[in-house]
């Protein structure tokens, strides 16, 4: 009897343990089934509504990550929903953090629900536009010719652009009316030059308000230096062939008559005895003008001749 009783007790405990495990198993399955159904009901695609204020959101480049957020309202069953994912594509490439200038295609997803267009069939887009630069051109804009390079002072005023960045963002050339584009050179020769700016970084641009000239001094002009040409006084004997000469001064350091396109000349047109005024003429130079000063020519019958 004792053996039977122990056997029955053992069977009873085994039955209890088995029932306990069965309860836990079925309870877990029931819970999982309820959670799945609940999830399916929460993400019923037909209960979502997305309304875009404007299918294309436009922002200006700022070095910060741009976002399509704030440009649309997403609701589920008429309640605000915040669990979506925004995907950005630039061409065929997915961009995790759109920073640089470009037109990004926007894709909004919640699990299998996807929005790429608004209700009117327009693509959802994020446009990052170039930031206009603020440029100041200062310093003198007129110089006398000196044989050395001249330039204006060009400054980018944007505080969030470092000095190192400025060199990689902007370049400028001088373009003369006579000499054309000097490319990377600074002007030396007499001419009127305009500054032509080139933005090398596509995240920036120049608009109508970008460039300001201090005191409204536009461009750069290099003016002629003046040469003084004095005809030398000369006394010659009547009937003797003579050649008038001149003295020239005013060249910038390191230059002389060899830079002239054409040297001045004085014609020996007087042959009869008398007192005459002579003057040089017809000099030509790229960077100089000429001031001609008269000299005295004396032709007489005396045996005196020479330069005085």
């Amino acid at each position: 009897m004792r053996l039977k009783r122990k056997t029955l007790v053992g069977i009873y405990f085994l039955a209890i343990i088995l029932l306990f495990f069965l309860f836990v198993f079925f309870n877990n399955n029931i819970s999982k089934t309820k959670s799945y159904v609940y999830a399916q009901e929460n993400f019923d695609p037909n209960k979502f509504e997305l309304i875009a204020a404007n299918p294309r959101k436009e922002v200006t480049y700022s070095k910060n990550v741009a976002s399509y957020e704030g440009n649309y309202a997403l609701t589920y069953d008429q309640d605000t929903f915040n669990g979506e994912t925004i995907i950005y594509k630039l061409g065929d490439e997915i961009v995790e953090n759109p920073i640089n200038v470009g037109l990004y295609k926007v894709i909004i997803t919640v699990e299998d629900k996807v929005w790429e267009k608004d209700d009117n069939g327009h693509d959802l887009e994020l446009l990052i536009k170039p930031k206009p630069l603020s440029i100041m051109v200062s310093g003198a804009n007129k110089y006398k010719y000196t044989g050395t390079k001249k330039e204006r002072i060009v400054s980018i005023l944007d505080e969030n652009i470092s000095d190192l960045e400025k060199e990689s963002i902007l370049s400028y050339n001088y373009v003369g009316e006579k000499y054309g584009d000097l490319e990377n050179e600074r002007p030396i020769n007499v001419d009127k030059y305009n500054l032509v700016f080139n933005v090398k970084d596509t995240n920036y641009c120049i608009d109508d308000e970008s460039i300001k000239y201090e005191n409204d001094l536009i461009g750069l002009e290099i003016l002629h230096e003046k040469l003084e040409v004095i005809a030398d006084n000369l006394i010659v004997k009547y009937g003797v062939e003579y050649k008038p000469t001149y003295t020239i001064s005013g060249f910038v350091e390191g230059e002389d008559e060899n830079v002239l396109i054409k040297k001045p000349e004085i014609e020996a047109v007087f042959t009869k005895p008398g007192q005459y005024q002579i003057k040089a003429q017809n000099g030509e130079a790229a960077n100089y003008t000429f001031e001609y000063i008269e000299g005295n020519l004396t032709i007489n019958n005396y045996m005196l001749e020479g330069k005085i």
Side-chain angles (χ1 to χ4, degrees):
M1 291 295 293
R2 288 182 180 178
L3 181 60
K4 288 183 178 180
R5 185 176 296 172
K6 288 181 179 179
T7 302
L8 289 173
V9 171
I11 292 171
Y12 175 74
F13 277 110
L14 287 173
I16 291 174
I17 293 170
L18 180 60
L19 287 172
F20 174 77
F21 279 111
L22 288 172
F23 172 79
V24 171
F25 175 77
F26 283 111
N27 187 61
N28 284 343
N29 281 332
I30 290 170
S31 297
K32 288 179 181 178
T33 302
K34 287 181 178 179
S35 176
Y36 175 77
V37 170
Y38 179 76
Q40 288 294 96
E41 289 179 354
N42 257 352
F43 294 93
D44 181 350
N46 296 321
K47 294 185 178 182
F48 282 105
E49 183 179 16
L50 184 141
I51 300 174
N54 190 318
R56 174 181 291 184
K57 180 180 180 180
E58 297 186 0
V59 298
T60 300
Y61 173 76
S62 66
K63 291 187 177 181
N64 299 317
V65 176
S67 173
Y68 196 72
E69 292 179 2
N71 195 57
Y72 64 91
L74 179 61
T75 60
Y76 177 81
D77 201 14
Q78 299 183 349
D79 290 329
T80 301
F81 185 86
N82 295 312
E84 73 275 19
T85 298
I86 304 177
I87 300 170
Y88 303 95
K89 293 184 70 176
L90 187 60
D92 295 327
E93 179 183 356
I94 294 177
V95 179
E96 184 175 353
N97 296 311
I99 296 177
N100 296 317
V101 163
L103 181 60
Y104 296 81
K105 183 177 178 61
V106 176
I107 303 170
I108 300 174
T109 68
V110 179
E111 291 196 346
D112 294 332
K113 180 65 175 177
V114 178
W115 293 269
E116 297 184 43
K117 300 178 182 292
D118 67 3
D119 291 339
N120 296 317
H122 300 123
D123 290 335
L124 304 182
E125 297 171 326
L126 173 64
L127 176 63
I128 303 179
K129 301 182 294 184
K131 180 181 180 180
L133 291 169
S134 179
I135 301 168
M136 173 62 74
V137 182
S138 58
N141 77 327
K142 288 188 178 183
Y143 296 90
K144 275 287 190 72
Y145 173 74
T146 61
T148 58
K149 295 180 179 180
K150 300 293 185 289
E151 63 181 319
R152 302 295 303 276
I153 300 171
V154 177
S155 307
I156 297 178
L157 302 181
D158 302 70
E159 295 181 355
N160 63 337
I161 301 176
S162 69
D163 291 338
L164 184 61
E165 288 177 304
K166 291 174 183 178
E167 295 181 6
S168 62
I169 290 173
L170 182 70
S171 66
Y172 58 94
N173 294 341
Y174 290 90
V175 179
E177 294 180 359
K178 177 180 177 181
Y179 290 99
D181 191 343
L182 302 186
E183 297 182 353
N184 296 322
E185 295 297 324
R186 298 295 180 255
I188 296 176
N189 297 307
V190 169
D191 201 355
K192 290 183 178 180
Y193 300 88
N194 287 318
L195 278 76
V196 177
F197 294 90
N198 175 43
V199 180
K200 298 185 286 186
D201 188 329
T202 56
N203 289 317
Y204 298 92
C205 67
I206 292 175
D207 63 13
D208 293 339
E209 303 296 324
S210 287
I211 304 171
K212 290 183 171 51
Y213 292 89
E214 187 178 51
N215 299 322
D216 294 326
L217 300 177
I218 298 174
L220 186 149
E221 184 177 3
I222 298 179
L223 306 171
H224 293 87
E225 183 56 273
K226 184 175 68 174
L227 296 176
E228 187 176 75
V229 185
I230 304 174
D232 297 322
N233 294 328
L234 186 63
I235 299 175
V236 298
K237 183 180 179 181
Y238 172 69
V240 176
E241 185 177 341
Y242 65 93
K243 183 177 181 181
T245 59
Y246 59 81
T247 301
I248 187 169
S249 62
F251 289 103
V252 302
E253 186 175 353
E255 294 187 351
D256 55 27
E257 282 190 80
N258 290 320
V259 302
L260 302 180
I261 297 172
K262 183 181 178 181
K263 295 180 181 181
E265 56 189 11
I266 305 176
E267 295 183 0
V269 296
F270 303 106
T271 59
K272 295 181 179 181
Q275 296 279 341
Y276 302 97
Q277 299 292 315
I278 56 174
K279 185 166 65 174
Q281 59 183 355
N282 298 331
E284 292 183 25
N287 296 311
Y288 296 95
T289 58
F290 297 86
E291 180 182 6
Y292 299 105
I293 299 175
E294 294 179 340
N296 296 314
L297 169 63
T298 301
I299 301 176
N300 56 37
N301 288 320
Y302 300 101
M303 298 298 296
L304 179 64
E305 61 182 86
K307 175 180 175 182
I308 61 174

